[in-house]
Amino acid sequence: MNNEKLDVNTTIAILERIKDIIEANKDYLTQLDSAIGDADHGINMNRGFSKAIEKVRNNQYFDIGSIFKDVAMSLMSTVGGAAGPLYGTFFMRASMKLAGHKEADLTLLAQALREGLNGVIALGKAQPGDKTMVDALIPAIDALETAAKEGSSLKDGLAKALAMAEKGMKDTIPLVAKKGRASYLGERSAGHQDPGATSSYLILKAFYEALEN
Ligand code: ADP
Ligand code: MG
């Protein structure tokens, strides 16, 4: 496996890892969502990534964009609620940037994930601090871009992104939700970690861990 560039095999290994991590944290994500939502985030995400990996395992790929696209389609068709269309858009927009590429270096990966994030923001209209997945994704992708400019390796860039995603995730705890179901709770949403910020952190963790191996 190539650790310096994201090629087809590495991308599939990342997806396998996302599926495993989401599955292992299914109850945790659902617990977080039961505090400020409707207790389905873990179930939704697990269903989506199980379907996505099933599709990817049964296909042959010549570029990484097509893998991201298949993930996007699977998530959009199987993950209900807010997270399905949002993560679907994230992977779809990223796939457009990666279309036709057999591999991505840190710079291209950062560009693709930035596109994905822009799609999430365009669709969900969440601002930083609204207590959503965006609060983990923004600092992570900022860090990825900075690392790319500094000439970091893919693995080091992802390590920095992961650290920032973790901070962003934890920083959602005191926030009052302004978007999604949790916003119905108003002030009562404070004191709980956002489920979507947590799943975003876990997805980045899978990127990092797949490259570490
Ligand atoms: P639902 O809220 O429809 O049950 P999920 O439980 O699967 O969907 O996902 C909830 C997560 O989706 C939240 O924790 C939050 O991070 C994210 N989310 C909700 N609305 C938005 C939005 N408008 N923009 C970005 N993320 C959002
Ligand atoms: Mg929910």
Side-chain angles (χ1 to χ4, degrees), residues 74-147:
S74 303
L75 296 180
M76 283 179 186
S77 63
T78 57
V79 185
L86 290 166
Y87 277 121
T89 298
F90 182 77
F91 281 91
M92 185 57 80
R93 287 282 294 268
S95 84
M96 292 172 183
K97 192 82 205 171
L98 298 170
H101 289 275
K102 288 193 185 311
E103 50 185 34
D105 59 9
L106 181 57
T107 302
L108 181 57
L109 178 66
Q111 284 170 354
L113 298 191
R114 172 65 70 187
E115 283 291 315
L117 171 59
N118 287 343
V120 170
I121 293 170
L123 180 65
K125 313 268 185 303
Q127 306 278 338
D130 281 354
K131 198 181 182 95
T132 69
M133 58 177 73
V134 158
D135 291 320
L137 291 171
I138 291 176
I141 292 163
D142 285 350
L144 211 58
E145 283 174 352
T146 304

Side-chain angles (χ1 to χ4, degrees), residues 11-20 49 53 56 67 71:
T11 304
I12 294 172
I14 288 170
L15 272 181
E16 293 279 359
R17 190 88 197 125
I18 296 178
K19 188 236 168 213
D20 289 346
F49 280 102
I53 193 66
V56 167
I67 307 175
V71 172

Side-chain angles (χ1 to χ4, degrees), residues 1 3 10 13-14 17 205-213:
M1 200 159 75
N3 282 5
T10 313
I14 288 170
R17 190 88 197 125
K205 191 165 192 262
F207 270 79
Y208 172 72
E209 288 181 357
L211 277 158
E212 201 187 21
N213 296 325

Side-chain angles (χ1 to χ4, degrees), residues 10 24 36 44 66 82-83 103 105 134 149 158 165 188 193 198 200 205 208:
T10 313
I36 55 170
N44 284 344
S66 306
E103 50 185 34
D105 59 9
V134 158
K149 284 190 193 112
L158 284 167
R188 279 183 293 139
Q193 186 170 299
T198 310
S200 286
K205 191 165 192 262
Y208 172 72

Side-chain angles (χ1 to χ4, degrees), residues 3-6 105-106 109 152-158 211:
N3 282 5
E4 266 325 298
K5 294 223 168 154
L6 208 73
D105 59 9
L106 181 57
L109 178 66
S152 293
S153 69
L154 197 52
K155 194 184 130 192
D156 288 350
L158 284 167
L211 277 158

